[in-house]
Amino acid sequence: MTSKELRNAWIRFYEERGHINIGAVSLIGDGTTGVMFNVAGMQPLMPYLLGKEHPSGKKRLCNVQGCVRTVDIESVGDPTHFTFFEMMGNWSLGDYFKQEKTQWSYDLLTKVFGLDSKEICSTVFEGNDAAPRDDETADLLKKVGILPEHIFYLPKSDNWWELEGTTGTPCGPDNEWFYPRHNKPCGPNCGPACGCGRYVEIGNDVYMQYVKNADGYSPLANKNVDTGFGLDRMLAFLNGVTDGYKTDLFIPVIKHLEEKSGKSYDDDPEAQKAMRIIADHIRTSTMLIGDVKGILPSNVGAGYILRRLLRRAIRYTRQLGLESSVLAEVSRIFIEQIYDEAYPLLVEKKDYILDEIMKEAARFEATLATGMKEFTKCITGIRRKNEFMAQKDPSYKPETEISGKQAFRLYDTYGFPLELTEELAAEEGLTVDANGFAEAFKEHQAISKQEGAAKGGLTERNEETAKLHTATHLLQAALRKVLGDEVAQKGSNITTERLRFDFSFSRKMTPEEIAEVERLVNVAIDAKVPVVMEEMTVQEAKEKGAIGLFESKYGEKVKTYKMGEYSFEICGGPHAANTGDLGSFKIRKEESSSAGVRRIKATIAPKA
Ligand code: ATP
Ligand code: MG
């Protein structure tokens, strides 16, 4: 089955069962909910799931909706996570419920899509004090043909949906559908929850059957069903492959990258990763520029995400030994050969999209070009010195390394990533002192000139800023311990030299308080505890006592970072692996930032 056939098959199946196709909305958030992109098919349908009548007057809806999930950017490179993907959805607004839905999901997966019913796994809600185990769904699953041993009961964190921080809203258990990527279980307890990667979630049926009250749940009169199946993943599985890039949504692009680079997707793991990243990021960029509410690369908000996607793709074209013009070629393939029918607007806006991609590439390359002059100077310097010394002393061993300081200057002043300097040096038969580069980071005192306002106040991402960012977590925890829960993050900004943290607090801190906060942070560093990332829903994170900004994004899990007993926060930024990596922590300044908000600047330095 092709992707075009799959979209049609989904819609036809549900149309035959009384649904109307409501079509898709823009990928760009409407600016009112604070959500930058549309992350799930149900996101635009929230008002109707909450009780408002749908404009169509109908109770059975379906569609295929594009989604952009920037939280998944770090997973891109694996076979099943993309930053853009399509979600196939269908909804019952107070109409049919579990019996019909279980039967339909099963029939569609096994009879229409041809998946092996003996391989499908399902997870259902295991129950807790507030709501019973979802035996109803489990029984229906067994009845339709799912093997009893393939039904797993999981806790609220996995199989429950509700709107964070609300009461009076619908909520309920969900039934997630999984399919194995290969046939080797990791052990006797291998299953959808074991985390070995064998099972991939292909879809999710949410049953909204309760109302959330202040003190628990009560039955909901008008029960809803909300469904989301990933088209890109499904396409792979129903065609007997488990790599999402081996479907018609990507094959022509991967083939083009292979031809242009002369490298093999299957045999060269590094090239494979680069090709996946380029393909994913250019697909998402194409969709965002070509959207009805199209955006352009910039230094703020959604535009900054787009810029990061494009520049990251450019870096990986270099790694494949390709010119950045290949990005427009890739975009053209997506527009003309892959999404022409499903996204006709892309075809209309084709020239504009390709032009904008090339303009951003040119901007990035201009930064690189100035840096190249500096790089050449640096090489010439080494050569001259070698010639001069060799004349004086025939036994002189020529220098073959670009110093850490020079590499850092290229990075700091000209925006050369270290990998780029290393690649260029290798072409000249030279190496780069990577340790010296790291040293130079630590020594460097000037404030970073990098623009941009990435998540968590990080304007650039590297090992040093990751450490400072980790220290920010410990600082916030220590402040709350010393000054009380009144302390909440109001802002954060990190350069390679220092962290800056703004927080709510009504008066100046005393020298004793400052010293105590500093001491507590250093205690956590000295404890050398690992920094552990775990994904969970916002609700679950809150219940477990995490702090952080609780922006609820429907259907999304958030990343949490735990450092022993010292800190537990919801966060999307990059972190050190262990608090012991941070070095000694020092508060440099405590001052007023604005009314009711204090500002701390602090540094970390390697332990003497
Ligand atoms: P996962 O745990 O695999 O990241 P999820 O729990 O985030 O998935 P949902 O939020 O339930 O997924 O989204 C519904 C469906 O959308 C999933 O069953 C999956 O098929 C698909 N999906 C989710 N995230 C992605 C992604 N990054 N790329 C492709 N498909 C995705
Ligand atoms: Mg899920």
Side-chain angles (χ1 to χ4, degrees), residues 10-19 90 101 104 108:
W10 178 272
I11 297 296
R12 199 179 326 118
F13 185 89
Y14 283 104
E15 278 179 349
E16 282 166 10
R17 285 155 186 80
H19 294 65
N90 69 284
K101 184 61 222 186
W104 292 343
L108 189 58

Side-chain angles (χ1 to χ4, degrees), residues 69 72 80-82 85 87 201-204 228-230 233 555-557:
R69 291 192 179 179
D72 285 341
T80 55
H81 283 89
F82 313 101
F85 63 95
M87 204 184 278
E201 184 189 323
I202 49 177
N204 194 341
F229 277 65
R233 289 181 186 180
E556 260 194 17
K557 285 188 180 175

Side-chain angles (χ1 to χ4, degrees), residues 445-471:
Q445 290 304 310
I447 306 263
S448 156
K449 293 184 202 78
Q450 292 264 338
E451 11 78 301
K455 227 177 183 177
L458 287 174
T459 50
E460 50 179 325
R461 291 188 166 204
N462 56 49
E463 203 188 329
E464 210 49 33
T465 54
K467 285 183 193 168
L468 282 161
H469 178 70
T470 310

Side-chain angles (χ1 to χ4, degrees), residues 220-429:
L220 178 70
N222 275 336
K223 300 184 181 76
N224 301 322
V225 179
D226 157 46
T227 286
F229 277 65
L231 177 131
D232 311 58
R233 289 181 186 180
M234 182 62 70
L235 185 63
F237 285 105
L238 64 80
N239 281 301
V241 292
T242 55
D243 176 349
Y245 295 87
K246 296 217 164 177
T247 67
D248 66 49
L249 293 174
F250 285 107
I251 287 171
V253 165
I254 299 295
K255 216 172 117 210
H256 185 75
L257 290 171
E258 281 189 310
E259 274 166 16
K260 281 273 169 160
S261 67
K263 293 182 177 164
S264 158
Y265 177 85
D266 285 325
D267 303 333
D268 179 344
E270 222 173 272
Q272 180 184 77
K273 185 177 170 208
M275 289 176 194
R276 284 176 173 178
I277 290 173
I278 294 167
D280 174 84
H281 289 9
I282 292 305
R283 179 170 78 160
T284 307
S285 301
T286 302
M287 290 290 177
L288 289 175
I289 300 171
D291 188 88
V292 265
K293 290 202 241 159
I295 54 168
L296 290 174
S298 75
N299 282 334
V300 289
Y304 185 67
I305 303 280
L306 174 59
R307 170 158 285 168
R308 269 181 57 205
L309 289 168
L310 283 167
R311 293 194 171 191
R312 192 149 180 259
I314 295 169
R315 270 185 33 223
Y316 281 93
T317 58
R318 276 203 70 93
Q319 196 184 304
L320 287 180
L322 295 172
E323 302 278 322
S324 54
S325 54
V326 79
L327 300 185
E329 293 161 20
V330 165
S331 176
R332 180 190 291 276
I333 296 172
F334 280 124
I335 298 170
E336 290 179 350
Q337 299 177 34
I338 301 174
Y339 289 103
D340 51 338
E341 276 178 34
Y343 294 81
L345 187 59
L346 296 180
V347 180
E348 248 172 69
K349 289 177 79 175
K350 178 174 73 185
D351 292 340
Y352 170 76
I353 297 168
L354 301 183
D355 191 46
E356 289 300 335
I357 288 177
M358 286 322 294
K359 275 204 268 189
E360 180 63 10
R363 260 177 266 160
F364 188 44
E365 245 136 48
T367 336
L368 293 179
T370 7
M372 274 311 286
K373 283 196 196 127
E374 188 62 22
F375 177 79
T376 313
K377 255 194 231 164
C378 173
I379 301 283
T380 318
I382 294 174
R383 295 248 160 83
R384 290 228 176 100
K385 185 177 167 198
N386 284 344
E387 277 167 29
F388 178 73
M389 292 301 285
Q391 272 172 11
K392 269 183 39 180
D393 172 8
S395 71
Y396 173 77
K397 229 172 111 249
E399 235 173 70
T400 57
E401 193 175 68
I402 294 180
S403 76
K405 272 216 174 81
Q406 285 169 319
F408 181 70
R409 192 174 138 72
L410 284 166
Y411 169 82
D412 187 51
T413 315
Y414 300 99
F416 269 37
L418 177 64
E419 307 81 54
L420 180 67
T421 307
E422 284 175 332
E423 281 163 30
L424 293 169
E427 286 168 18
E428 302 288 336

